[in-house]
Amino acid sequence: MTMRDESCIFCKIANGDIPSRTIYEDEDFRVILDLAPAVKGHALILPKNHYRNLYEITDDTAAKVLPLAKKMAVHMTERLGCDGFNVIQNNNEVAGQTVFHFHVHLIPRYRDDGQNLVLEAHTMSDEELDAVRDSIAL
Ligand code: 5GP
Ligand code: ZN
């Protein structure tokens, strides 16, 4: 029995209640094509259980998701002949999350694909960087 949120569209897709273009499925995850792809082959890893985002996933899900992302990236790169790959995961609206069921974007990249995912860089002084490190060191 999966842990679901009845109002969540990705719960319905992940568990097969709403059809999707599935490219991989196992006991814990479904990998589907994104309906509005940034590039050819843009896919999403969805856990079958509902977690709002990275903050909420279990350690078990966390431990399984990166090996799956790797497996899919290797396979998709072989099949699509892409030149590179982005793995992206957004948490909360401010970070670009629009569907509040944890998911990982698998984004094949092609030379001249017209996408630009580069973040704007800022300069910080040594003191500022030291203060940031001190505030978040674990
Ligand atoms: P986010 O912005 O939350 O990280 O990503 C949500 C992604 O889900 C978007 O890329 C969007 O195109 C995709 N998406 C939203 N609704 C659906 C849907 O019903 N089916 C599929 N396959 N993708 C969806
Ligand atoms: Zn859900």
Side-chain angles (χ1 to χ4, degrees), residues 25-91:
E25 185 182 4
D26 64 24
E27 198 184 323
D28 302 303
F29 299 96
R30 182 185 294 268
V31 184
I32 64 168
L33 287 190
D34 196 297
L35 259 190
V39 291
K40 185 175 80 175
H42 182 177
L44 304 170
I45 299 177
L46 312 180
K48 292 185 175 178
N49 282 326
H50 181 85
Y51 310 105
R52 185 176 168 84
N53 52 35
L54 182 71
Y55 299 118
E56 291 195 355
I57 62 171
T58 59
D59 286 354
D60 179 62
T61 299
K64 287 173 175 166
V65 77
L66 196 55
L68 177 55
K70 183 209 162 159
K71 180 156 79 177
M72 294 308 301
V74 169
H75 172 73
M76 290 165 69
T77 299
E78 214 174 86
R79 288 293 177 91
L80 292 165
C82 56
D83 305 300
F85 215 92
N86 289 116
V87 176
I88 296 178
Q89 197 277 309
N90 300 324
N91 300 284

Side-chain angles (χ1 to χ4, degrees), residues 110-126:
Y110 308 87
R111 267 177 215 102
D112 305 320
D113 63 19
Q115 296 290 345
N116 183 5
L117 302 175
V118 179
L119 297 175
E120 191 186 338
H122 297 282
T123 306
M124 264 200 184
S125 67
D126 281 345

